[in-house]
Amino acid sequence: MRTLSTPTIPSWRIALNLPQTYFLIFGNAIGYVSLIHSQGLRLIVCSIGGIICVSAGIAWLLKLQKIQSTFNFSFDLLDLKAFQFNLKNLEQKIITQFPIAWQKMNQSALEIHKIAQEISISEPELHAELIETLYTVIRLVEQGVYATLALHKVQTESYKNQARNYLKASYERLKKTQNNLQQLRDQIVLAQLPETELTREYTLPKRLQILIADNKTVLQASQNLNLKEKKYNEK
């Protein structure tokens, strides 16, 4: 077993795993284009708009650092507190109406996190891939939450079937992610044997990258449904 310390994740990599970052980027882009449209394409206008956008980005990174230092909180999803924080936000949307459905998704996510932590301890160089894997797990749980809510709110049978399909896809991907990580953990144990050492450096990151890509494929396919369900949830 390796004894390398877990690498520190830069603030910009933490920010990239937060949806608020993309809202900020989108808002800045709209504001920048609107400013140029209203004031004209001039150097002073472009400069002021650029300064505002950069300042907003810096302010967001400083806010993340302040939250971490004030509450001793990590945005590293391998940190159980950070992972549970993301799950808690989703729990509030569904726990009152559908506690059993939430328990199933929450338990699966926490089991996946436990395995990911074990892998990270043995293979700290996989830290980044494991964080990205856990990010897709959060997104799969989110998809399951919105699909569950949609299933009980939409009236058209075709949309109900669509919601069922996305809910089923969420459960299946969570289960497959758990199974794949369990296999990866077992492979790491076996990799301690000298004869398997030659192949482990290539196969471990590659298997995680394939798992991440498969999860993202399912998430991308359900993007339109999630947007619709968010509208339902806001009503």
Side-chain angles (χ1 to χ4, degrees):
M1 182 177 292
R2 304 188 180 190
T3 58
L4 296 175
S5 60
T6 300
T8 302
I9 302 177
S11 296
W12 65 269
R13 290 193 65 176
I14 295 173
L16 288 177
N17 279 330
L18 297 173
Q20 294 92 331
T21 300
Y22 297 97
F23 293 142
L24 176 65
I25 294 173
F26 183 68
N28 278 343
I30 292 179
Y32 190 72
V33 172
S34 299
L35 179 65
I36 294 176
H37 180 74
S38 62
Q39 300 298 322
L41 186 59
R42 292 179 292 164
L43 179 60
I44 184 66
V45 174
C46 294
S47 299
I48 292 175
I51 291 172
I52 293 173
C53 291
V54 172
S55 299
I58 292 174
W60 173 232
L61 291 177
L62 291 176
K63 183 177 180 180
L64 291 182
Q65 292 177 349
K66 183 178 180 180
I67 292 174
Q68 286 182 287
S69 60
T70 302
F71 299 100
N72 191 27
F73 181 79
S74 171
F75 289 98
D76 177 354
L77 288 180
L78 280 167
D79 182 341
L80 182 57
K81 287 183 180 179
F83 192 74
Q84 288 177 325
F85 176 80
N86 283 271
L87 290 177
K88 192 69 176 178
N89 288 336
L90 296 173
E91 179 184 12
Q92 295 171 357
K93 301 177 184 296
I94 192 176
I95 186 64
T96 303
Q97 294 176 280
F98 310 107
I100 297 178
W102 171 250
Q103 276 186 343
K104 183 177 180 180
M105 288 183 282
N106 185 56
Q107 181 179 357
S108 181
L110 290 176
E111 289 175 355
I112 290 171
H113 185 271
K114 181 180 179 181
I115 300 170
Q117 275 189 325
E118 293 173 356
I119 294 174
S120 180
I121 293 172
S122 298
E123 301 291 333
E125 66 272 17
L126 297 178
H127 197 79
E129 287 85 356
L130 288 168
I131 287 178
E132 190 169 5
T133 301
L134 291 176
Y135 176 71
T136 64
V137 168
I138 292 293
R139 292 287 310 281
L140 286 169
V141 173
E142 180 185 37
Q143 173 178 295
V145 167
Y146 288 133
T148 300
L149 293 172
L151 182 60
H152 292 82
K153 289 183 179 180
V154 296
Q155 301 298 320
T156 309
E157 190 61 30
S158 61
Y159 284 117
K160 281 185 176 292
N161 289 334
Q162 190 178 13
R164 289 190 191 98
N165 289 337
Y166 286 130
L167 182 59
K168 180 181 178 182
S170 297
Y171 284 137
E172 288 179 349
R173 281 312 310 172
L174 286 171
K175 186 62 177 177
K176 185 158 288 189
T177 298
Q178 182 178 346
N179 291 339
N180 287 351
L181 286 181
Q182 285 175 335
Q183 292 174 6
L184 190 60
R185 181 185 57 189
D186 293 344
Q187 181 184 348
I188 290 171
V189 174
L190 294 176
Q192 305 305 317
L193 300 174
E195 59 269 24
T196 59
E197 185 69 29
L198 292 176
T199 60
R200 68 203 297 255
E201 295 298 332
Y202 170 77
T203 58
L204 297 183
K206 187 66 176 177
R207 288 183 62 179
L208 276 176
Q209 289 163 9
I210 293 173
L211 176 60
I212 291 167
D214 290 343
N215 285 354
K216 286 184 175 180
T217 298
V218 172
L219 291 167
Q220 184 63 37
S222 66
Q223 185 176 6
N224 291 336
L225 177 71
N226 282 349
L227 291 174
K228 290 176 182 177
E229 174 46 30
K230 287 177 183 177
K231 292 181 181 178
Y232 296 144
N233 200 39
E234 291 169 356
K235 289 183 179 180

